[in-house]
Amino acid sequence: MKALLEQVLQGQIRAIARVITRVENSTAVAEEVIQTLYPHTGKAHIIGITGSPGAGKSTVVNALVQTLRQKDAKIGIVAVDPSSPFTGGALLGDRVRMRDLSGDPGIFIRSMASRGSLGGLAQATASVVKVLDAAGYDYVLVETVGAGQAEVDIANAAHTTVVVEAPGMGDEIQSIKAGILEIADILVVNKADRPGADRTVRSLQMMLHLGPVGGTRKSGRLSSTNGTEANDIGWNIPVLETVATKERGMAELADMLGQHMIHLRNSGEWLQRERERSWREIETLLQQRFMRQFQSSVTSERRESLLTAVAAREVDPYTAVNQLLSKSETDV
């Protein structure tokens, strides 16, 4: 493993692929890998690409990466696909759509199965992003599943969140229901050559300036203040029009990503987002480790008896939890 991780730091593609596979399949290996690679991370610009199915996320990623490659940037792509209910694997559909990028040594594409995780990301996504960061990639693009109304986790995993919309995908209320306006740093209306694109752009721009729902935002999050001062330090969410199949609007999107990175650095929000992201990751790891310790300390017979009692209305759920926790603490 030590030799393999040294090859990762050198940017060797086969080593990166092998390490990512081991990270996905083993929590213990993921811990060892991240402990070794973590001092070499923190340099990549992590970009989240999310939106409803059919909006053209994969096509936008494909065209955007080709634009970024013109600047000689190394790019890692993590495409999270829905899991098969039978095998648990990913369909790898994003690799089919991104075949234009194959063969480029400056691009690494990895499809991952969500494996039942909600929020649009797989549980191992954060670790995989760190592997690519340590391997020297300038940008790491994370494309979510496209679940529709449960993909806000990407806002906690990325520095810049790009939300892709398309005309004819539903009414404007859908954007509010999905939490899109709360998590977006950049809004992209793809397929802008279709009828109704102008209306979609105007509707999104209008909602960005509505009081409690829109208003002044600071890097994709609603600001509590409204006024000149907030506008000076905040980030005004742009609404960009693209036609990804024709690579139209990609230069503007790439430029806006650079502007947002500069804003994060100059405003101090880069560090703030790193702190928030780190805390959520630590919190998740604590929950996972606690559950493993808890399950090993409470026998299956004890759990089954309590479940039976709760189902029979002999014990309420809160009392059952208290009994399980007290038993666990006693064993510790």
Side-chain angles (χ1 to χ4, degrees), residues 171-246:
D171 60 19
E172 293 76 14
I173 301 301
Q174 199 69 23
S175 299
I176 302 176
K177 286 172 60 180
I180 284 175
L181 296 182
E182 282 74 17
I183 68 171
D185 295 305
I186 300 173
L187 281 166
V188 171
V189 178
N190 192 35
K191 306 179 183 180
D193 54 345
R194 290 189 176 183
D198 292 342
R199 177 188 172 188
T200 303
V201 171
R202 288 195 302 269
S203 298
L204 291 173
Q205 289 174 337
M206 180 184 67
M207 283 188 287
L208 286 172
H209 292 88
L210 290 176
V213 177
T216 302
R217 278 174 177 72
K218 190 174 182 180
S219 294
R221 289 162 176 78
L222 198 61
S223 174
S224 59
T225 59
N226 291 303
T228 305
E229 182 180 355
N231 287 328
D232 289 340
I233 63 174
W235 169 257
N236 293 320
I237 303 173
V239 182
L240 306 180
E241 297 181 50
T242 65
V243 183
T245 54
K246 301 177 182 178

Side-chain angles (χ1 to χ4, degrees), residues 83-100:
S83 292
S84 164
F86 303 104
T87 65
L91 179 62
L92 308 183
D94 293 297
R95 289 192 182 186
V96 175
R97 296 189 181 95
M98 298 177 191
R99 56 181 176 270
D100 294 340

